[in-house]
């Protein structure tokens, strides 16, 4: 099978890496890709938001599967355009992707499906915003209704900061604060059958100890030794399957990757948000542990044959990923800085530790790999347990040179310590 992956981040590098290891994949393409993806896939220039251009590229390459990575192309209908050309696409339709594209839509679906989530108000005027903030009190949770690249959510004790964010968003969802640890659970679905992946936990705040502003994610780990063994089955039964069933009932079946962001509260599991694609950086650790070849599973979801697939196989070990971010991220990042140490990681740490590229490109003049975004690299490692995976990940991070960069030093530290004790 020939496969085309759409996107340019570390999530897409993780997908391409997994697909490149699948013996059934005879040719792997990525558009537009990045400097790291170029090592495992042939890159093509394309506007990822242009469905017709993506479909034309897929047809010209004669691929048997297109995997759409990021949320913006899904909301823009890229998967629809590919399917209209008769090519299987892994990713929901534009209508179904509104589960991520509009938080108000997601709340409506959850209410109809009986899915447990935070109480919320959808606000469009200053008066509605003030009423909602007053109703819930601190800590205030304010979410831009639309796509915001992981940075549309503000959680704060400061009512003025919450109000300012709400006013800047236009249409906004204000909801009650959910206590308890957060979990990310991905589920592959063809619109009927739901196949869960292993849960992961990511770290949204920029700095150690969950300090600093929200980011797209600074690291992740899997498995979760502290989680209830029945958690995955419970989430599928009470959240994922009812949501998929409700969308199918509405005539907008959801096929692709359903990502449930969860809070394990004192009152039970609650949905914080849904995403319509693989999450970043959780994908990096989840796929590092998946032993089942990936392409066949994605194709089965894209063609409505998921119920015939054998159970997924997983490694017994653990995986940790640490994000190396550029200077000033999550503010306006500095780009164009040379990245060193990539060859050293490959030579000295592989295959147990490896680097997945996110915001990188190859400088045309020097040939060097340079930074080209906020989150630059995801350094990922596997091990027999979280402690060993952490050790390998941070050893590899130590070999990376990127002027002004920063990373968290506490990814999976608490979970690793608890697992030992």
């Amino acid at each position: 099978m020939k496969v085309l992956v759409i996107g340019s981040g570390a999530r897409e590098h993780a997908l391409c890496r997994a697909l490149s290891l699948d013996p059934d994949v005879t040719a792997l393409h990525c558009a537009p890709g990045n400097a790291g993806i170029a090592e495992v896939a042939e890159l093509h220039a394309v506007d990822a938001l242009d469905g017709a251009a993506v479909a034309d590229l897929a047809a010209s390459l004669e691929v048997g599967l297109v995997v759409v990575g990021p949320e913006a192309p899904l909301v823009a209908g890229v998967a629809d355009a590919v399917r209209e050309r008769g090519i299987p696409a892994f990713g929901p339709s534009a209508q179904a992707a509104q589960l991520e594209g509009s938080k108000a839509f997601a709340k409506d679906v959850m209410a109809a499906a009986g899915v447990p989530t935070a109480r919320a108000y959808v606000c469009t005027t200053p008066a509605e915003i003030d009423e909602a903030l007053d109703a819930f009190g601190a800590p205030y949770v304010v979410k831009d209704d639309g796509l915001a690249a992981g940075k549309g959510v503000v959680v704060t004790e400061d009512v003025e900061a919450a109000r300012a964010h709400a006013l800047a968003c236009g249409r906004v969802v204000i909801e009650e604060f959910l206590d308890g640890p957060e979990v990310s659970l991905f589920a592959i679905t063809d619109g009927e059958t739901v196949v869960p992946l292993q849960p992961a936990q990511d770290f949204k705040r920029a700095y150690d100890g969950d300090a600093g502003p929200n980011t797209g994610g600074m690291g992740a780990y899997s498995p979760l030794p502290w989680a209830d063994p029945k958690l995955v089955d419970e989430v599928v039964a009470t959240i994922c399957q009812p949501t998929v069933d409700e969308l199918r009932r509405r005539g907008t079946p959801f096929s692709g990757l359903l990502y449930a962001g969860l809070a394990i509260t004192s009152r039970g599991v609650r949905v914080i948000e849904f995403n319509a694609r693989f999450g970043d950086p959780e994908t990096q650790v989840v796929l590092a542990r998946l032993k089942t070849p990936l392409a066949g599973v994605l194709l089965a979801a894209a063609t409505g044959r998921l119920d015939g697939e054998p159970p997924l196989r997983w490694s017994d070990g653990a995986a940790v990923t640490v994000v190396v971010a550029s200077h000033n991220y999550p503010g306006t990042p500095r780009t164009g800085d040379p990245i060193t140490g990539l060859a050293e990681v490959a030579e000295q740490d592989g295959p147990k530790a490896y680097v997945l590229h996110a915001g990188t490109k190859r400088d045309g003049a020097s040939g060097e790999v340079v930074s080209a975004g906020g989150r630059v690299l995801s350094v990922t490692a596997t091990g027999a347990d979280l402690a060993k995976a952490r050790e390998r990940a941070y050893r590899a991070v130590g070999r990376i040179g990127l002027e002004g960069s920063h990373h968290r030093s506490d990814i999976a530290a608490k979970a690793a310590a608890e697992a030992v004790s």
Side-chain angles (χ1 to χ4, degrees), residues 59-134:
S60 70
L61 295 172
E62 299 180 330
V63 299
L65 175 67
V66 175
V67 180
V68 184
E71 60 273 23
L74 291 168
V75 172
V78 168
D80 303 82
V82 171
R83 278 191 282 266
E84 285 167 8
R85 297 288 288 272
I87 302 169
F90 181 82
S93 67
Q95 283 185 299
Q98 285 301 305
L99 201 62
E100 177 170 4
S102 169
K103 291 179 175 59
F105 175 79
K107 288 291 186 184
D108 185 63
V109 170
M110 284 187 271
V115 169
T117 186
R119 292 180 298 120
Y121 293 100
V122 180
C123 306
T124 56
T125 68
E128 290 173 344
I129 288 167
D130 289 340
E131 183 180 348
L133 292 173
D134 185 58

Side-chain angles (χ1 to χ4, degrees), residues 12 14 17 54 70 97 105 110 123-124 137 148 205-206 260 272-273 284 297 312 360 367 377-378 395:
E12 287 75 36
R17 180 181 183 274
V54 172
F105 175 79
M110 284 187 271
C123 306
T124 56
R205 298 285 183 169
I272 300 171
E273 65 177 357
Q284 289 86 302
V297 181
L312 298 179
T360 70
L377 305 169
S378 284
R395 183 188 305 138

Side-chain angles (χ1 to χ4, degrees), residues 18 21-24 290-297 313:
L21 298 173
D22 186 331
D24 288 335
L290 180 64
K291 294 175 73 173
T292 300
L294 184 61
V297 181
R313 296 179 294 112

Side-chain angles (χ1 to χ4, degrees), residues 40 44 56-57 59 69 71 82 110 123 134 193 206 268 305 379 400:
V40 294
H44 304 269
D56 286 345
L57 176 62
E71 60 273 23
V82 171
M110 284 187 271
C123 306
D134 185 58
T193 301
R305 298 181 292 102
V379 181
I400 302 294

Side-chain angles (χ1 to χ4, degrees), residues 1-367:
M1 180 190 342
K2 297 177 181 179
V3 182
L4 169 63
V5 176
I6 302 300
S8 60
R11 162 186 49 225
E12 287 75 36
H13 194 174
L15 286 164
C16 285
R17 180 181 183 274
L19 290 165
S20 73
L21 298 173
D22 186 331
D24 288 335
V25 175
T26 56
L28 182 59
H29 303 271
C30 186
N34 62 39
I37 295 174
E39 297 177 8
V40 294
E42 183 179 345
L43 301 191
H44 304 269
V46 77
D47 178 355
L49 297 177
D50 186 336
V54 172
D56 286 345
L57 176 62
S60 70
L61 295 172
E62 299 180 330
V63 299
L65 175 67
V66 175
V67 180
V68 184
E71 60 273 23
L74 291 168
V75 172
V78 168
D80 303 82
V82 171
R83 278 191 282 266
E84 285 167 8
R85 297 288 288 272
I87 302 169
F90 181 82
S93 67
Q95 283 185 299
Q98 285 301 305
L99 201 62
E100 177 170 4
S102 169
K103 291 179 175 59
F105 175 79
K107 288 291 186 184
D108 185 63
V109 170
M110 284 187 271
V115 169
T117 186
R119 292 180 298 120
Y121 293 100
V122 180
C123 306
T124 56
T125 68
E128 290 173 344
I129 288 167
D130 289 340
E131 183 180 348
L133 292 173
D134 185 58
F136 288 131
Y140 303 97
V141 182
V142 183
K143 299 180 175 181
D144 192 330
D145 180 54
L147 295 179
K151 290 180 257 184
V153 179
V154 164
V155 181
T156 179
E157 298 278 347
D158 184 342
V159 68
E160 290 305 319
R163 189 171 191 272
H165 181 65
L167 291 171
C169 290
R171 193 177 196 218
V172 69
V173 174
I174 296 175
E175 61 185 40
E176 68 176 327
F177 176 77
L178 296 175
D179 63 326
E182 296 184 11
V183 174
S184 299
L185 184 71
F186 303 159
I188 294 172
T189 178
D190 58 7
E192 293 192 28
T193 301
V194 173
V195 176
L197 306 186
Q198 289 287 299
Q201 185 174 60
D202 77 331
F203 295 75
K204 288 293 188 194
R205 298 285 183 169
Y207 309 121
D208 284 8
D210 291 329
N214 262 349
T215 71
M218 294 298 292
Y221 69 93
S222 179
L224 313 180
W226 49 268
D228 187 326
K230 299 176 183 175
L231 175 65
V232 172
D233 289 343
E234 178 189 346
V235 171
V236 170
T238 63
I239 293 170
C240 298
Q241 192 70 58
T243 299
V244 168
D245 292 345
E246 171 61 20
L247 286 166
R248 188 175 68 254
R249 186 191 69 76
R250 292 179 178 217
T252 55
F254 186 107
S255 72
L257 196 289
L258 178 62
Y259 166 160
L262 310 166
I264 314 301
T265 77
S266 54
R267 294 170 291 140
V269 180
R270 298 287 186 272
V271 175
I272 300 171
E273 65 177 357
F274 280 128
N275 292 322
R277 39 71 194 179
F278 281 101
D280 183 342
E282 300 98 321
T283 299
Q284 289 86 302
V285 292
V286 172
L287 293 186
R289 298 185 55 227
L290 180 64
K291 294 175 73 173
T292 300
L294 184 61
V297 181
L298 301 187
L299 182 63
T303 54
R305 298 181 292 102
L306 204 52
D307 63 343
E309 288 293 298
L312 298 179
R313 296 179 294 112
W314 298 92
S315 74
D316 293 328
V320 171
T321 195
V322 180
V323 170
V324 177
S326 58
H327 176 73
N328 201 45
Y329 178 78
T332 303
R334 191 175 76 202
T335 60
D337 289 314
I339 302 167
T340 61
L342 298 174
E344 286 79 1
V345 173
E347 293 167 6
Q348 301 183 47
D349 301 302
K352 298 293 187 182
Y354 47 89
V355 179
L356 298 169
H357 292 231
T360 70
K361 67 177 182 180
R362 194 167 290 279
D363 185 89
S366 67

